[in-house]
Structures are given as C-alpha cells and as structure tokens.
Amino acid sequence: MSGREHSDESSKRRVAYVYSPEYIETCDTLSKVPNRASMVHSLIEAYGLLQHMSVLKPRAATMEEMAMFHTDSYLEHLHKISQDGDNDDPQSADYGLGYDCPVVEGIFDYAAAVGGATLTAAECLLDQKYEVAINWAGGWHHAKKDEASGFCYVNDAVLGILKLREKYERVLYVDVDLHHGDGVEEAFSFTSKVMTVSLHKFSPGFFPGTGDLCDTGLGKGRWYAVNIPLEDGIQDDRYFQVFTSVMQEVRSQFNPEAVLMQLGADTMAGDPMCSFNMTPVGVAKCLLHVLQWQLPTLLLGGGGYNLANTARCWTFLTATVLGKTLSSEIPDHELKQTLNLSSNCSKRQQ
C-alpha cells in the first residue's frame, strides 16, 4: 500500500469516483489538455486509491439534461458541427466556437460525456449513499448558456448545481481555479439559492476579465456572488489565510446544505500560466476546510496546463479526501516516466 491513513474522520468518508475507460478516452481528446485525464487516473490508480472509493460508471448527458442550462439553439448547433468537424460554419462564431473552443469531430459527444459524468456525481449525493463525489475531468466553468468559452463547451458545474438543487435548498459553489468562474456566477447571478465564491487572478487583459471585488450578484442574487481577486505570486500560507477568512463568513451567512467545489490546478507553481505559486498541500488545506463541514460535496477539476503537475495535484487531493498519506516515490505505472521528467510540483517559480 502506497498510502497510509492519517485521519479517522476522512478515512471513514464514503467517496464516489466517476470513471470508465470510455469516459477517460473521450476526455483525452480535448486538444487543450491532451491525455490529461489518463495521466490523472493512472496516478490515482497507481497509488492504490481506487480501492478506498466506489467507482461509478458515468453516463452521457442527454440533450434535454444539457438544456437545463444551455439553449436549444446552442446545443443543436454543437451537435450539427460535431458530426463532421465543420470549422467553416459561419454561425459558429456566434456560439463562441473557433479560436479558444475549436470545432473538432465528436465535440458534442465530449460535452455530453463531461456533463453526464458531473450529473452522475451529483446524483449519487442526492440519495446520501456518498458524502463526497469526484469528477476530475469536469469543472468547465466558463461556458455560457448559449456560448462556448475558454476551452469550455458545456458548463458541467452549472448542471451539477442544478441537480443538487433538486434536493438541497442552498448550494454553495467554491472556485479556486486561477481564472474567474464567470459562467457559473452568471448562471446564478439572480438567485439567492446558490452562492458563488471565486478566488482568482484579476488583472487587465487576463481572461475572462470579470470577477472584480465589487461584482456581488444582481436582483434577488445581490450579495450572493463573492469575488476575491488575488495578485500574482501568492503562496500557500497567504492563500489559505484569505480562503478561511472568507469561507467562515460565507458559511455563517449562507448556511449551505451542499457544496460543489471547482479545483482547477492552474494555480500551481510551474503551470504555464505563470501566475500563482501554490502547491497541492496549500490547496488540500483549503479543501479540508470545506470537508470539515461534513456536507454533501462534489469535487471537479478545471484548469491545469502542466499536465504532470495537475495529475500530481489531483491525486494528492484524492488522497486528502480519503485520509491517506502518499509516498513521495511515484509508483511504477505506464506514465511514470512522463511524470518524473516534468518539473517538480513543489518547485517555486523565480
């Protein structure tokens, strides 16, 4: 065994992990993070963590399920161009398809797979068989109801929250990706039933350009959007300090019944975004702060463009959920050489 228990409470958690070989193969086709899903799963498997979780096979989302958030016209267009990978359709630009979100054959099937996997994770929290559900290949928080954006073709986080809302009155969305969770915030900006909290980089010209401190929601949703802009170079200790001070107030004021957390790994030191200087240890402390509330919690991935570091990060977070301590020696598995050749996850940027 590569991991040993370090917490009675966490080792007793009932955890569901959404996985099938077909799902991972589909997610590996995403051009911005090629084969990342395989790298993440292979490392989790190599550390022996699967034996401590229930592995749930995801289903694809139906057109009707994705239309819980996305418009029919957007979904129909995505389906049409997906069948032949038509990059020349003049309507595609109107739906955000092109530069950041290239049209490739099968992209609708990818969107349905990711959306369905997050719905599978959410559903297993509704009957309370599980306390935590994980879909590391999800977390595509930029997609709008009628538009792809920032590598995101479907907003599976929004679909997951809507599913949780079928049972839970108040759902908290927590986003620690480097980028503002604009698509999720916009989806729920007029409601007091979902509070969105996003910690992110905010500076002129940095995508998506939203998430200022003064953006707090609209109408009935006023004060139910919380944005924490952070400057480049932030490290674990300061980040955790900010995170806990905000989250204590959020919990006190909102009193959530369920949580969906997006854990994009593009905040890691060594990520090509070259912005924050976080390590998996710092993110894990933030995750544990939320898990100690003992609420139904759905965990998603997101950004993370140093693929090996992202695999390390999400494997470390999986171990954290399970109350396991990982050996620093990476176990033998098919992608070990790739992981060893990449820059060390804890290496600080100069």
Side-chain angles (χ1 to χ4, degrees), residues 143-322:
K144 311 297 196 298
K145 65 179 182 178
D146 57 356
E147 186 183 347
S149 176
F151 318 151
C152 305
Y153 300 87
V154 62
N155 200 315
D156 65 294
V158 170
L159 297 180
I161 291 168
L162 291 172
K163 179 58 67 174
L164 292 173
R165 280 277 295 119
E166 292 178 11
K167 180 180 178 71
Y168 302 109
E169 181 73 8
R170 294 177 305 282
V171 177
L172 174 64
Y173 173 71
V174 182
D175 190 318
V176 297
D177 195 277
L178 180 68
H179 302 84
H180 177 228
D182 58 332
V184 183
E185 180 184 304
E186 186 178 301
F188 299 108
S189 59
F190 284 94
T191 181
S192 60
K193 302 299 185 182
V194 176
M195 178 173 275
T196 60
V197 180
S198 180
L199 293 85
H200 50 264
K201 176 174 176 171
F202 181 76
S203 65
F206 187 74
F207 183 86
T210 51
D212 200 352
L213 192 65
C214 59
D215 296 334
T216 56
L218 302 163
K220 288 184 179 179
R222 187 80 189 274
W223 312 122
Y224 288 86
V226 179
N227 285 297
I228 317 297
L230 300 168
E231 293 185 350
D232 280 352
I234 192 166
Q235 298 183 5
D236 289 350
D237 289 348
R238 177 62 180 153
Y239 193 102
F240 182 65
Q241 182 184 22
V242 172
F243 182 88
T244 51
S245 64
V246 170
M247 297 312 295
Q248 284 164 0
E249 194 68 19
V250 162
R251 188 190 183 198
S252 169
Q253 297 295 324
F254 184 58
N255 190 26
E257 296 179 4
V259 179
L260 188 148
M261 193 168 183
Q262 197 268 21
L263 291 146
D266 44 4
T267 57
M268 294 294 105
D271 192 271
M273 289 288 161
C274 297
S275 295
F276 291 0
N277 259 324
M278 299 290 291
T279 74
V281 174
V283 179
K285 287 175 68 179
C286 295
L287 173 56
L288 279 173
H289 181 83
V290 172
L291 291 176
Q292 74 180 357
W293 300 346
Q294 297 184 311
L295 297 173
T297 303
L298 203 170
L299 305 180
L300 301 176
Y305 307 101
N306 179 321
L307 306 187
N309 278 2
T310 300
R312 287 195 192 94
C313 179
W314 291 342
T315 300
F316 188 85
L317 296 183
T318 304
T320 298
V321 172
L322 296 169

Side-chain angles (χ1 to χ4, degrees), residues 59-79:
R59 57 179 178 79
T62 64
M63 184 83 85
E64 292 73 24
E65 285 174 323
M66 290 190 283
M68 289 166 59
F69 173 57
H70 294 287
T71 62
D72 290 339
S73 59
Y74 170 68
L75 293 171
E76 286 162 7
H77 183 78
L78 192 65
H79 185 260

Side-chain angles (χ1 to χ4, degrees), residues 9-18 49-56 124-125 129-136 291 297 299 317-323:
E9 185 181 289
S10 53
S11 63
K12 290 174 186 171
R13 279 196 196 102
R14 299 187 306 276
V15 181
Y17 175 78
V18 178
L49 298 177
L50 293 181
Q51 63 188 293
H52 303 289
M53 303 184 281
S54 295
V55 177
L56 299 186
C124 81
L125 297 175
K129 281 184 181 175
Y130 301 97
E131 297 153 292
V132 179
I134 300 171
N135 175 25
W136 290 130
L291 291 176
T297 303
L299 305 180
L317 296 183
T318 304
T320 298
V321 172
L322 296 169

